[in-house]
Amino acid sequence: MKTKVAIIGAGISGASIARVLSRYENLEVHLIEKAPDVGWGVSKANTALIHGGYDDDPEKYPTRARLCIRGNRLWHQWVKELEIPHVWNGTLIVATKDEDFDELERLLERGRKNGVPEMRLVDKEELFHLEPNLTREAIGALWVPIVGQIGPIPAVIAITENAVANGVKTHLETEVTGIKVENGEVRGVETKDGFIEADIVINAAGLYADKIARMVGIDYFEIHPRKGEYWIFDDDVPGPKRVLFPTPTPISKGIVVTTEISGHLMIGPNAQDLPPEEKENLATTKEGLEQVWEGAKKLWPQLPPRSKVIRTFAGLRPEPTGGDFIIKAEEEVWGFINVAGIRSPGLTSAPAIAYEVAEIIERDLGIELKEKEKWNPYRKEISHFFMMTPEQVNEAVKKNPSYGKIVCRCNNVSEGDILEAIERMKFIGVKTPSVDSVKFRTKATTGTCQGSFCRPKIVQLLAKEYGVEPWEVTLKGKGSEIGIGDVKVLLRGDA
């Protein structure tokens, strides 16, 4: 008989746990998410870095320090298996004054303690060879070559697709309202759509992990949101080759300057602690964005004119009591595992967190996990017209003429790409058609015009493939419908 596992939260942590647990034949895994699609919570808006592991103090934050470097190593494997967009371009922590080297030496020593390979200090000459357009005030840096960047939502999508292919059942648009406990043991999860039986409940609920924990009487930690704001520029604006950090101060790690994997210069984030009740506050502020702008200029003085900005946004990080990740089987309630407070470097640590949870199930819950004989670690990336050679385009169009119709001109996204994205949405259980679900799979609507040209065509394709009226298609789930109804009834005289 299979042990039933319910994972609450389909962000990077929850999806990674689902993938790892899908390896075992004696587990039945359910991935529960209140949003219409995967990766739309904390995982959606961040700097998208695979950190090097030098930043987390192993004495203050032992779990973060241990899992960050292990996660970095695992990502090198996962991006290949799952064909996740990525770049391993390294990071430079830049010194602009002599006293900065004291802090860089401390980071170097900490990184070595944490097991980070190949870190070293570089002088001014080598620094400008690594990053020619850096501020002229730079005098040296700490170089960490194992740092990389990925697309966070494409990563969650890829991991979930692979988990589903290996037998995981998703429950999207399913909000958890309670957890049933009998005689000190988990029995299942109560949701707005009914009861899901479970012998083990894994709480990977991001900003709401404290609320989920309280459902079983565990209240020793609280999650408060920490907001970070960002600017993104058009893709014709040159950005750095490396990920650039200033030397950190006791107050701040500083503003990051990077070229994200789609080729856009991105600056941010700042850090603003919000009260626990503001877990949906994703508003950008004039003051916060100015702080980011001024901070970025210290490393990258040639910031383009603001007319080149295509988007500003904010993300929230779940800051836990004590600052370290909370990953443990709770003794008071057998079968309840917290994966809470997964703030930075949570994206980096996610694969390692997943293996840690599998170890907890065996070690602390005493369940021997039996590997499947035919577990499939691979997943193919969605087709992207903009990545095809002319020969590949000709072949694709011969097989399927929809690849010859360009829908998004900014990013060269074809109708074929969008139809494949919709097919994949359905495969992982996306029930409500949304433009954002297509955006995160294809890059449509993320270019210079931000969807002004392509959104109506995407809406038509979603309506046709989901069998709904165009005005029932949403931007990002129920409550964000594109239209108000069939206004042409007035012309037809049907009203």
Side-chain angles (χ1 to χ4, degrees), residues 184-241:
E185 296 181 0
V186 162
R187 289 287 180 262
V189 174
E190 292 157 0
T191 79
K192 289 187 174 177
D193 294 327
F195 186 71
I196 299 169
E197 276 187 46
D199 307 296
I200 298 171
V201 171
I202 298 166
N203 174 18
L207 287 162
Y208 293 92
D210 52 354
K211 178 184 173 186
I212 297 295
R214 285 189 208 109
M215 291 177 182
V216 295
I218 291 166
D219 61 0
Y220 63 83
F221 67 91
E222 186 173 63
I223 303 289
H224 75 259
R226 178 171 288 169
K227 184 194 285 188
E229 296 164 271
Y230 298 83
W231 301 76
I232 290 190
F233 298 84
D234 212 341
D235 59 7
D236 62 353
V237 171
K241 294 191 291 183

